[in-house]
Amino acid sequence: MRFATGLVLIDAPHSALNMLGIDESLADRNVTRVKTFRRGGKYYPYVSPQAWRYWWRSTLKEHFSWELSPLYREQKQVFTAANPLKYPDDDVFGYMRAFKKGNINVTVTRVSPLKNTPLISVLPDRNSLTVDEGYASRHEGDPVPYSQEFYSTVFKGAFSLDLDAVGRFTTISKAGFKNLLTWNDVSQDKTKGGAEEIVKEIREIEKLAEELGVEKGEKEWTMPSSIRKKRATETIKALRFLTGGAKQTQYHTDVTPKFILLLNVDAGINPFISDIVFEENGEVMFDAEALAERLKDLKEVVPGDAKLYIGYDEGFIKSLGWDVNHIEERLRASGLDIAKGSVKDAIEGFVKEIEAYYR
């Protein structure tokens, strides 16, 4: 098993990317708050993991022409088409469709090969959050006061893409692993119990599988390497063009990563999670020595030809007072080959390793 792992830093110098909404606990109910969570005695702004995934999915549509899976509503659920052969986002981002149609259980679920953390502010709210007091006055009558919070911080987030799972679908009767319906799910009489629609769905997926050259096993279907490689590499490439976030008309934040670490790992772990980027006296710090020690401990699960890619925006790291040459020197203590350059250079170099894995 191989996982493409990474850490990103997103600069948010004046932003409100993921709002909680109006604070109903206040008497005047006119304060729009950002999302925060508590850790120890401090509160930290964050962008929810589903918001980050929404940006990611939308970027894949806009920049790589992914045909996104349509949404359907049944009873109280909203779900996608659950067709990972046709829709690459169903493949990479997973899905859950859980209900019965007639007498037939049409539940299918897929564990997402792409996993990500929330985007968490490195700085706590006391060092990053403020409130803008405004007045709506374009109408007749007295101006209406309102307030909205925004922050100035750096967000950090980590992700892991399971390269083996991309383009591989199982029919095992287990939550997260029954990715596709099969003929075993339909009664012998395919005209009863609401079976017609299910029969149609199964036939369409089987026809598509044949057209795409999908390899079928007893409990597993595998798409051709060319398709799996395209989906995996475009998922990583999309980070360069990441677009999204709330309040963009008023705060206009570029959410593309300004610093990125990338490494392939032959285990379901992510070496970049936990506090290698942290706050100290109001400053954003990077603990290269701690990461080097961690990577040294994990070297047995790092592929022999893998490099640690460091991508950075020169202006961003200058604003933080970081010396990338010093960071590189410290990380070499891990024993890994290091490749540093722009964010574009790092992603393109990393993608070549992913492409080689699918050959």
Side-chain angles (χ1 to χ4, degrees):
M1 59 172 67
R2 181 160 298 181
F3 293 79
T5 64
L7 173 140
V8 301
L9 297 183
I10 292 173
D11 189 22
H14 35 65
S15 313
L17 295 168
N18 193 206
M19 306 299 283
L20 181 63
I22 297 290
D23 190 343
E24 299 287 345
S25 67
L26 299 178
D28 51 8
R29 296 183 178 181
N30 69 352
V31 181
T32 305
R33 294 202 182 280
V34 301
K35 292 182 178 178
T36 60
F37 74 97
R38 184 173 181 174
R39 182 180 183 187
K42 299 177 182 177
Y43 286 88
Y44 293 84
Y46 72 94
V47 173
S48 68
Q50 61 269 27
W52 187 14
R53 293 171 75 84
Y54 179 77
W55 303 352
W56 210 327
R57 197 187 295 245
S58 299
T59 302
L60 284 161
K61 176 188 175 185
E62 295 299 323
H63 288 273
F64 296 93
S65 301
W66 278 27
E67 183 182 0
L68 299 187
S69 185
L71 294 174
Y72 300 96
R73 181 166 184 169
E74 187 80 23
Q75 300 169 7
K76 294 183 179 179
Q77 295 183 46
V78 175
F79 48 86
T80 67
N83 184 343
L85 275 69
K86 182 175 182 179
Y87 302 108
D89 60 321
D90 272 348
D91 179 2
V92 172
F93 291 85
Y95 48 81
M96 181 174 72
R97 185 186 71 184
F99 66 96
K100 284 187 175 181
K101 184 167 284 188
N103 297 325
I104 301 174
N105 185 351
V106 295
T107 297
V108 285
T109 58
R110 174 166 170 78
V111 176
S112 170
L114 178 64
K115 299 169 179 61
N116 60 276
T117 67
L119 295 170
I120 300 169
S121 170
V122 178
L123 303 175
D125 65 341
R126 71 186 183 193
N127 289 338
S128 60
L129 200 64
T130 190
V131 181
D132 176 57
E133 306 285 352
Y135 291 88
S137 58
R138 289 190 298 153
H139 58 286
E140 291 186 3
D142 296 335
V144 177
Y146 67 93
S147 304
Q148 59 184 16
E149 294 180 338
F150 72 101
Y151 39 68
S152 178
T153 189
V154 172
F155 284 103
K156 63 178 177 181
F159 67 88
S160 174
L161 178 64
D162 185 342
L163 300 183
D164 285 309
V166 174
R168 280 178 57 190
F169 316 114
T170 53
T171 57
I172 301 168
S173 187
K174 177 181 174 184
F177 295 89
K178 186 168 179 52
N179 302 157
L180 302 167
L181 293 179
T182 68
W183 293 117
N184 293 332
D185 299 303
V186 187
S187 62
Q188 288 187 344
D189 186 346
K190 297 180 175 53
T191 63
K192 291 185 177 179
E196 295 88 346
E197 287 184 43
I198 311 308
V199 168
K200 182 182 177 185
E201 177 181 328
I202 294 173
R203 283 178 175 159
E204 286 179 350
I205 288 181
E206 288 201 328
K207 180 182 177 187
L208 184 58
E210 186 175 347
E211 291 172 354
L212 294 173
V214 173
E215 183 180 328
K216 294 182 182 177
E218 184 180 353
K219 294 287 185 181
E220 182 176 282
W221 293 17
T222 307
M223 300 190 83
S225 292
S226 58
I227 297 176
R228 301 175 70 198
K229 177 167 63 179
K230 183 174 186 295
R231 292 180 176 183
T233 56
E234 288 181 348
T235 300
I236 301 301
K237 288 177 181 175
L239 288 168
R240 281 191 58 216
F241 308 106
L242 202 63
T243 306
K247 300 290 183 183
Q248 286 286 4
T249 55
Q250 292 172 302
Y251 296 100
H252 190 33
T253 303
D254 176 8
V255 298
T256 58
K258 297 298 185 294
F259 182 86
I260 192 166
L261 296 173
L262 298 163
L263 179 68
N264 277 311
V265 180
D266 284 338
I269 56 178
N270 189 320
F272 305 123
I273 291 179
S274 85
D275 292 337
I276 56 172
V277 179
F278 60 98
E279 181 259 352
E280 185 174 275
N281 299 322
E283 303 291 329
V284 179
M285 311 295 288
F286 181 70
D287 194 339
E289 287 83 1
L291 179 58
E293 285 299 314
R294 189 178 300 166
L295 294 173
K296 193 188 296 183
D297 283 349
L298 297 174
K299 197 172 180 184
E300 64 200 90
V301 293
V302 177
D305 57 349
K307 293 180 182 176
L308 171 62
Y309 292 88
I310 308 171
Y312 59 96
D313 177 273
E314 192 72 41
F316 175 68
I317 62 167
K318 279 184 179 177
S319 72
L320 299 181
W322 292 4
D323 181 343
V324 73
N325 292 322
H326 174 80
I327 290 173
E328 179 189 13
E329 182 183 337
R330 292 294 181 271
L331 287 176
R332 286 195 183 283
S334 67
L336 296 178
D337 287 337
I338 309 289
K340 69 178 174 65
S342 67
V343 172
K344 174 176 180 289
D345 291 341
I347 289 177
E348 289 183 349
F350 187 59
V351 161
K352 286 179 182 175
E353 285 192 17
I354 295 173
E355 289 174 339
Y357 182 66
Y358 285 109
R359 286 174 187 161

